[in-house]
Amino acid sequence: MEQSAIAPIGRIVSGIQPSGRLHLGNYMGALKNWIDLQDRHECFFFIADWHALSTNYEKTGALRDNVRELLLDFLSAGLDPEKCVLFQQSHVVAHAELYLLLGMMTPVAWLLRNPTYKDQMAQIENRDLAQYGFLGYPVLQTADIVLYRPTHVPVGQDQIPHLELAREIVRRFHSLYGEVFPEPLPLLTESPKLPGLDGRKMSKSYDNAVFLSDSKETVAEKFKTMKTDTQRMRRSDPGRPEECPVFSLHQIFTPRETVGSIDRDCRVAAIGCIDCKKILAEEVERILSPSRERRREIEGQGTGRLREILDLGAEKAKREASLTMERVREAMKI
Ligand code: TRP
Ligand code: SF4
């Protein structure tokens, strides 16, 4: 993979599947990065609702709520529809047209060897994923990306194979019909590994997450139950920060000097876990409390406001998408 740092960043495109509320791990990974990027670059960010069907086509009952939740999380965390183009994938039908055209030239063998596909097929037992759409997921993702002709795509490590595939599809398109798209480069998002309340990786499915939309009280309650160094039974026992998930969160959310003093104090039992967790809750609140404030503001603007934001985003996205599709149809003689 080429080094993305070398090429100057032009336009950025990225998406997230709507699958429920975002937690602190999601925030520290993708979302915080998007919020930084929107100030410096031309960004297209979208809710990948069609992608959510690739694994959840049987149960779509929660889809609309999930889209709404995700949009609210986006806006309350600080994504600003005035700074970036914020939209919902299914509102821009050109994603589907380009998906179809790219699907015509994508060898099935490329999709079968996609590591995400192989992993999920091996891991997921309770759902039938032998669907055409699940195999074709990276083709849809390629369409999502190149439709806006971006230079860079901010993604986590897990999406790198999809990006590589997108680049291969683009190269194949170019060799068949001529140059239309820049080859999109990944902009690798460094996402710190956040432990959840039970010490395992923070994940919605483990029921161990702190959500962006949790109330202050809920956050404090959750931290109270969080696992610490299991060998520190009594307040008078010295602790081992390196064995403590609370400490791992401090390293992410708490200023370095404070982390240093917690480290020292824990080892000699000069600080207790209850106080240590209170400090953590306060630090996390420095992110969550402005976010809650913005959420209240947006919710106060009434139900039509979210629709308005998505409509505006769709309009801008469609304009750019239709320019691309004209070039694509021209190149393919359609
Ligand atoms: N596949 C991505 C994920 O699961 C979501 C996604 C869909 C995406 N289309 C995209 C990300 C286009 C970047 C660009 O996280
Ligand atoms: Fe963990 Fe803090 Fe307790 Fe030490 S004092 S064990 S770092 S929670």
Side-chain angles (χ1 to χ4, degrees), residues 12-29:
I12 278 174
V13 173
S14 198
I16 296 183
Q17 281 193 38
S19 56
R21 305 191 289 158
L22 295 183
H23 56 66
L24 283 176
N26 303 132
Y27 173 77
M28 292 308 286

Side-chain angles (χ1 to χ4, degrees), residues 4 12 57 93 103 107 125 130 138 149 179 189 199 204 219 226 276 291 303 317 319:
S4 49
I12 278 174
Y57 60 92
V93 182
E125 286 151 0
R149 303 183 310 283
E179 294 266 333
T189 310
K204 209 176 23 139
V219 174
M226 186 162 181
C276 182
S291 160
T303 46
R319 210 176 304 141

Side-chain angles (χ1 to χ4, degrees), residues 111-327:
L111 300 172
L112 289 170
R113 66 164 200 238
N114 164 26
T116 320
Y117 178 75
K118 289 201 287 190
D119 287 356
Q120 298 235 44
M121 285 304 253
Q123 271 172 28
I124 296 180
E125 286 151 0
N126 56 348
R127 275 181 297 191
D128 180 7
L129 290 183
Q131 317 303 330
Y132 168 65
F134 185 62
L135 180 66
Y137 183 109
V139 184
L140 180 56
Q141 183 161 349
T142 303
D144 296 339
I145 296 167
V146 300
L147 192 53
Y148 303 98
R149 303 183 310 283
T151 59
H152 289 79
V153 183
V155 284
Q157 187 63 46
D158 63 313
Q159 294 295 314
I160 295 293
H162 289 158
L163 247 291
E164 191 46 55
L165 200 51
R167 291 162 56 79
E168 281 180 287
I169 295 172
V170 165
R171 287 195 284 266
R172 187 161 165 82
F173 184 101
H174 289 164
S175 74
L176 292 167
Y177 312 111
E179 294 266 333
V180 172
F181 314 105
E183 272 183 42
L185 284 164
L187 195 61
L188 190 61
T189 310
E190 299 296 342
S191 46
K193 284 260 172 305
L194 257 68
L197 303 172
D198 58 1
R200 292 185 292 173
K201 178 181 170 0
M202 190 178 285
S203 161
K204 209 176 23 139
S205 46
Y206 292 156
D207 195 23
N208 67 356
V210 172
F211 294 100
L212 288 182
S213 47
D214 280 342
S215 70
K216 189 171 177 179
E217 296 70 35
T218 304
V219 174
E221 272 317 305
K222 282 185 173 178
F223 282 139
K224 271 189 202 162
T225 68
M226 186 162 181
K227 236 184 103 191
T228 63
D229 173 5
T230 44
Q231 284 181 23
R232 190 174 186 197
M233 313 284 261
R234 282 171 302 251
R235 169 69 178 77
S236 55
D237 293 341
R240 300 166 303 167
E242 68 280 3
E243 299 295 327
C244 176
V246 172
F247 190 74
S248 306
L249 291 186
H250 273 300
Q251 289 177 306
I252 292 160
F253 294 105
T254 305
R256 203 171 313 140
E257 315 81 70
T258 315
V259 175
S261 67
I262 291 172
D263 189 348
R264 285 188 301 275
D265 292 349
C266 172
R267 289 177 197 286
V268 297
I271 184 173
C273 296
I274 295 175
D275 289 330
C276 182
K277 289 171 164 185
K278 272 190 196 145
I279 300 175
L280 179 62
E282 279 163 25
E283 293 300 335
V284 168
E285 278 303 311
R286 295 211 298 191
I287 294 170
L288 294 188
S289 125
S291 160
R292 242 176 253 127
E293 193 51 46
R294 276 188 293 262
R295 184 181 303 265
R296 240 193 316 273
E297 232 170 76
I298 298 153
E299 281 175 334
Q301 289 166 358
T303 46
R305 181 61 188 141
L306 293 182
R307 185 71 222 185
E308 226 172 74
I309 288 170
L310 287 179
D311 284 348
L312 176 76
E315 197 185 306
K316 293 186 200 162
K318 278 182 196 164
R319 210 176 304 141
E320 209 47 52
S322 74
L323 291 177
T324 305
M325 289 315 297
E326 276 171 32
R327 296 191 207 175

